[in-house]
Amino acid sequence: MRRPLISVLVLGLVLWTLPGCRRKKEEASVAGGKTPLVFKYQPLGDPVAFRELLADFERKNPDVVLSTEALPNSSDVAHQFFLTSLEGGADDFDVLVVDVVWVPEFAKAGWIADISKAFPPEVLRRDFLSGPVEAVVVDGKTYAVPWYVDVGVLFYRKDLVPRAPRTYAELEQFAREAKAKDPRLQGYVWQGRQYEGLNCNVFEAIWGHGGRVLDEKGRLELDTEQARAGLDYLRGLIASGVSPPGVTSAAEEEARRVFQSGQAVFMRNWPYAWEEAQKPDSPIRGKVGITPLPTVSGEPGWGTLGGWQLAVNAHVSPKRKDAAERLIAHLTSPEANVRMALSYGRNPPRPSVYKDPRLVERVPFIASLLGMVENARPRPVTPYYNLLSDVLQSEFSAAIAGIRPPETALKQAQRQVDHLTGQFE
Amino acid sequence: MNGTVKAPGSMGRERRQAYMLVAPAVLVLVGVAVYPILAAIWLSLHRLILVFGERRWVGLENYGFMLGDARFWNALGNTGYFTLVAVTVELLLALPLALLLNTAFPGRGILRASVLVPWAIPTVVSAKLWAWLFNPDYGLINRLLPGPDINWLGVPGYALHAAILVDVWKTTPFMALLLLAGLQGISEDIYKAARVDGASRWRSFVSMTLPLLKPAILLALLFRTLDAFRVFDAIFVLTEGGPANTTETLSIYAYKTLMRAGNFGYGSTLSVMTFLCVVGLSLVYIRLLGKEGR
């Protein structure tokens, strides 16, 4: 009779001593006068240089005990982690990395703290690129500080085309001419698989046709002439053979491999593809140029803004928030920007850093990106981006794959988006 | 149980003891299975969108919306088609494989172990591997097949069948092994008797092997149908539900709604619906199995 009771007690004891339940106690013992600070981030590669950067912070802030915790590299999985932990009120980490499209969502949900006092919006506007600032300042308040940025750009083969194309017509013409000389070549590869990258490609095409995706009131506006032209253009690339049919299942890596093997004339991708292209055994080493995306009018195109920001968990105490803000200031300083660029090839969010002599000398490629990152545009800045993104992906995919005409796809997307946002407001 | 008759007092004590003995198992089951299901049903009756900070009782409104949601019906259709085709093909391939593995030949042990390799590889790994095989530009499959290159994962129609192929490749060995276990339960003597009576091999397969194997087949179908209906990882790695949701299954739709969009209310509705479908399917199978038992 008494046995089951004992086993229940034993089970309870075992559960109690599991690491998860004990966490609070450990934290308290570390605290002893010092402030514990936990930084949740995605590992960047060889950790040595980053450890040094963090060690600098600890030297300057002896009152803080800093520890780091790794997040999964996949953006989706990291989002899922924050969704479940922050909604559950987790306070076991202080500083977190946030993707550029999450800031309004996390801010509205009350998961990340308003840090306007430490980082006033006007200071950010003065010191940082306009795209990332637009993404981190929500309703006039700062919720995150840009850490490093990314932007969609056009890669081209200097040996196959006369010069970088400036308009869509030039891009198609150059691709055709190169294909006429070598029929095995593919023209223009990009990302058409149903995923977030497709949205980036489509927004760029819409912007390049003079459209805006958000209207003045912050409402998503898809059923427009420019949006139709943008989507028609992407579908037309496939239909006319300028882009191979395979782009409808390609993400970044699939496109990069085709380009890397020397089989494509043009590629839309993120700057990371540059380093691979310049490796000693790369068949396209020294033959690749990088340029802003083309547009209809010929002015330099707007690439989608990517990249990561640093924010403070809204559930932590004021004392820890203060330490967290100091860490963010340290990691987003001009000096840290330079070191992140030199050691990890991450593009600085401060325009002034692109002129730093160390950057110009040792990573001239990053220095050359300044014009493109200045033109980087955030995806629609709305708390509902993740809800809407899903609808957009499937309708854009239907248009690209030729299941529905772009016009119908955009109408359907607009209807679903209106339905979703109508529910909210 | 219904053998010897015990004194009433000891009967009661024995019964109490029996309850006590199963209590821990029941508790664990309630904790890990029943509670989450009830929680999901409870959530599905709310409007709960995290970014909104909104949590409001809406009764059956989510279910009403679901009935008019074209994406839900599309996902249900994809899931049903995937399950039906994949499981049928798996059964048709697994049965001959099981018969082959049941015959005596040198190296049988090694072969039995090696057919399990696809099953032993984690799904995400094998799906990634297949994604490269399917790649339209440098994938092995287009190299081996004659004719123009096919964009396996990018064209509606092809993509779902590509996913079915991956599932068949992966789980046919498992099905074969379940059937093999059934085959080994059939006594060798009845085959001897049949041979003495002059029955052909085909005749003995149809009239003896198949009927005797029926419980094993039903069990294998039960396992595989339930598994296939909840398919997530393989398709998610291959296409994430694209192009244009033509490979989106119920689990993928529910995952995207729950975890990407943070729409916990409607996402739970979709999960509960998936759960109800699976319960319905298993009831059908269990009834069929029950008939066999009698």
Side-chain angles (χ1 to χ4, degrees):
Chain A
M1 283 298 280
R2 222 173 281 150
R3 281 270 160 76
L5 197 69
I6 289 169
S7 25
V8 168
L9 285 178
V10 168
L11 188 73
L13 207 66
V14 169
L15 288 174
W16 177 250
T17 52
L18 280 177
C21 305
R22 258 193 354 201
R23 178 158 225 149
K24 283 236 161 72
K25 259 190 196 160
E26 276 171 20
E27 213 171 69
S29 68
V30 165
K34 291 188 170 194
T35 312
L37 192 66
V38 179
F39 177 33
K40 202 102 195 161
Y41 78 115
Q42 296 170 311
L44 297 156
D46 181 9
V48 178
F50 193 62
R51 290 259 156 252
E52 265 171 42
L53 196 59
L54 294 177
D56 274 354
F57 172 79
E58 287 184 301
R59 266 194 298 278
K60 284 182 207 152
N61 297 275
D63 60 317
V64 177
V65 182
L66 178 66
S67 52
T68 56
E69 285 176 11
L71 277 171
N73 256 325
S74 152
S75 179
D76 260 355
V77 182
H79 184 256
Q80 186 179 330
F81 169 81
F82 287 132
L83 201 75
T84 44
S85 64
L86 290 174
E87 178 61 14
D91 62 352
D92 53 356
F93 55 90
D94 307 84
V95 177
L96 56 148
V97 291
V98 266
D99 197 338
V100 67
V101 287
W102 304 345
V103 180
E105 178 191 5
F106 284 21
K108 186 170 168 86
W111 297 337
I112 52 179
D114 175 2
I115 49 176
S116 308
K117 278 230 177 73
F119 306 95
E122 46 303 350
V123 175
L124 292 190
R125 283 201 189 95
R126 190 190 67 208
D127 294 345
F128 288 82
L129 294 161
S130 62
V133 173
E134 204 184 316
V136 299
V137 175
V138 182
D139 297 331
K141 290 182 205 136
T142 309
Y143 282 95
V145 182
W147 194 22
Y148 52 84
V149 299
D150 221 347
V151 59
V153 294
L154 184 73
F155 290 82
Y156 67 101
R157 288 281 299 278
K158 290 193 281 192
D159 56 328
L160 298 176
V161 297
R163 59 177 170 79
R166 282 191 279 271
T167 64
Y168 292 129
E170 268 180 2
L171 181 139
E172 289 187 39
Q173 185 202 333
F174 290 171
R176 284 220 178 80
E177 284 167 7
K179 278 168 69 104
K181 281 185 205 139
D182 183 354
R184 284 169 309 166
L185 276 178
Q186 299 183 350
Y188 178 28
V189 291
W190 39 284
Q191 293 83 42
R193 172 183 160 124
Q194 183 179 343
Y195 80 125
E196 184 55 31
L198 170 62
N199 285 355
C200 297
N201 280 255
V202 174
F203 291 145
E204 285 161 358
I206 296 175
W207 295 330
H209 284 82
R212 300 223 68 143
V213 184
L214 273 189
D215 70 7
E216 293 77 32
K217 283 182 230 131
R219 175 178 166 270
L220 207 60
E221 198 179 42
L222 292 164
D223 195 9
T224 64
E225 203 181 305
Q226 293 90 343
R228 276 194 293 280
L231 216 48
D232 272 336
Y233 155 71
L234 288 176
R235 172 67 199 149
L237 287 174
I238 301 171
S240 67
V242 170
S243 292
V247 294
T248 55
S249 57
E252 284 89 358
E253 269 301 277
E254 283 84 358
R256 189 190 64 77
R257 273 168 206 257
V258 173
F259 191 73
Q260 177 92 36
S261 62
Q263 287 174 49
V265 187
F266 296 112
M267 169 175 72
R268 182 270 176 210
N269 216 321
W270 310 92
Y272 86 97
W274 176 265
E275 200 185 323
E276 297 283 334
Q278 297 306 333
K279 284 205 169 140
D281 58 341
S282 159
I284 53 169
R285 183 182 161 86
K287 300 176 186 167
V288 181
I290 184 166
T291 182
L293 293 161
T295 54
V296 164
S297 62
E299 62 186 315
W302 299 271
T304 305
L305 173 75
W308 293 83
Q309 342 296 318
L310 298 178
V312 180
N313 184 345
H315 306 304
V316 302
S317 66
K319 201 171 148 203
R320 278 162 62 186
K321 186 183 170 197
D322 171 67
E325 285 170 345
R326 277 184 277 155
L327 177 64
I328 292 180
H330 176 76
L331 288 176
T332 57
S333 67
E335 175 59 24
N337 281 178
V338 172
R339 282 160 73 173
M340 292 283 289
L342 295 180
S343 309
Y344 300 110
R346 308 291 160 141
N347 308 314
R350 294 171 186 265
S352 59
V353 171
Y354 286 80
K355 302 191 177 85
D356 186 286
R358 282 171 290 174
L359 214 74
V360 175
E361 192 196 325
R362 284 167 57 194
V363 281
F365 168 71
I366 292 184
S368 75
L369 287 174
L370 178 60
M372 291 168 240
V373 293
E374 277 177 334
N375 244 357
R377 237 181 222 181
R379 281 156 272 177
V381 181
T382 149
Y384 312 113
Y385 184 74
N386 272 302
L387 270 163
L388 305 179
S389 157
D390 208 31
V391 169
L392 300 183
Q393 284 173 25
S394 69
E395 290 305 326
F396 290 162
S397 166
I400 305 290
I403 298 171
R404 286 192 272 288
E407 197 178 346
T408 320
L410 284 168
K411 279 210 166 73
Q412 291 200 12
Q414 184 75 58
R415 210 169 40 230
Q416 293 178 64
V417 163
D418 284 348
H419 173 77
L420 278 173
T421 45
Q423 268 192 336
F424 304 145
E425 261 103 44
Chain B
M1 272 321 269
N2 46 13
T4 50
V5 179
K6 292 251 165 87
S10 89
M11 178 89 169
R13 216 176 59 213
E14 209 167 78
R15 177 161 288 195
R16 256 212 322 273
Q17 200 171 13
Y19 283 136
M20 292 299 289
L21 285 173
V22 297
V26 170
L27 272 179
V28 169
L29 208 64
V30 166
V32 301
V34 180
Y35 170 71
I37 291 168
L38 291 179
I41 293 174
W42 182 244
L43 283 177
S44 76
L45 301 174
H46 289 80
R47 164 165 350 275
L48 179 59
I49 298 171
L50 293 183
V51 282
F52 238 173
E54 189 185 340
R55 186 187 185 125
R56 176 158 71 78
W57 172 266
V58 291
L60 293 173
E61 200 183 290
N62 282 332
Y63 291 88
F65 178 77
M66 186 181 70
L67 294 179
D69 181 9
R71 192 168 163 194
F72 163 73
W73 292 109
N74 170 56
L76 184 65
N78 287 340
T79 313
Y81 183 80
F82 177 90
T83 307
L84 185 74
V85 176
V87 175
T88 311
V89 173
E90 279 157 26
L91 178 66
L92 293 179
L93 290 178
L95 194 56
L97 190 62
L99 291 170
L100 184 72
L101 290 176
N102 198 31
T103 53
F105 59 87
R108 184 173 73 164
I110 291 175
L111 192 70
R112 275 185 187 175
S114 60
V115 292
L116 267 180
V117 168
W119 174 254
I121 299 175
T123 313
V124 172
V125 176
S126 62
K128 206 77 202 161
L129 197 125
W130 276 95
W132 288 117
L133 291 175
F134 280 129
N135 186 291
D137 296 308
Y138 35 84
L140 190 64
I141 293 179
N142 274 346
R143 285 283 155 80
L144 295 179
L145 290 177
D149 284 354
I150 295 169
N151 181 12
W152 290 97
L153 301 176
V155 176
Y158 279 113
L160 190 56
H161 290 98
I164 289 175
L165 178 64
V166 174
D167 193 68
V168 167
W169 173 82
K170 185 177 165 58
T171 50
T172 300
F174 173 69
M175 191 107 156
L177 222 65
L178 285 180
L179 296 181
L180 180 62
L183 282 175
Q184 295 194 322
I186 301 173
S187 158
E188 196 53 35
D189 297 344
I190 59 169
Y191 289 106
K192 282 188 189 140
R195 255 197 310 267
V196 169
D197 289 344
S200 70
R201 296 195 74 154
W202 174 248
R203 180 84 214 168
S204 61
F205 172 72
V206 172
S207 306
M208 289 160 28
T209 312
L210 270 188
L212 287 171
L213 199 58
K214 206 168 156 197
I217 291 177
L218 278 173
L219 203 67
L221 282 177
L222 171 72
F223 278 139
R224 280 303 307 143
T225 309
L226 299 193
D227 234 20
F229 201 83
R230 294 170 310 157
V231 62
F232 176 81
D233 36 11
I235 297 185
F236 195 78
V237 171
L238 286 172
T239 65
E240 276 181 60
N245 290 342
T246 48
T247 57
E248 186 172 78
T249 61
L250 278 179
S251 302
I252 293 180
Y253 187 18
Y255 168 78
K256 284 181 176 172
T257 312
L258 278 167
M259 287 308 172
R260 275 203 192 156
N263 190 345
F264 275 47
Y266 191 54
S268 301
T269 310
L270 292 170
S271 310
V272 169
M273 203 57 216
T274 313
F275 168 70
L276 290 179
C277 289
V278 169
V279 168
L281 281 171
S282 42
L283 283 181
V284 170
Y285 276 116
I286 286 169
R287 171 158 278 194
L288 285 174
L289 274 171
K291 272 196 190 137
E292 275 314 299
R294 262 175 268 137

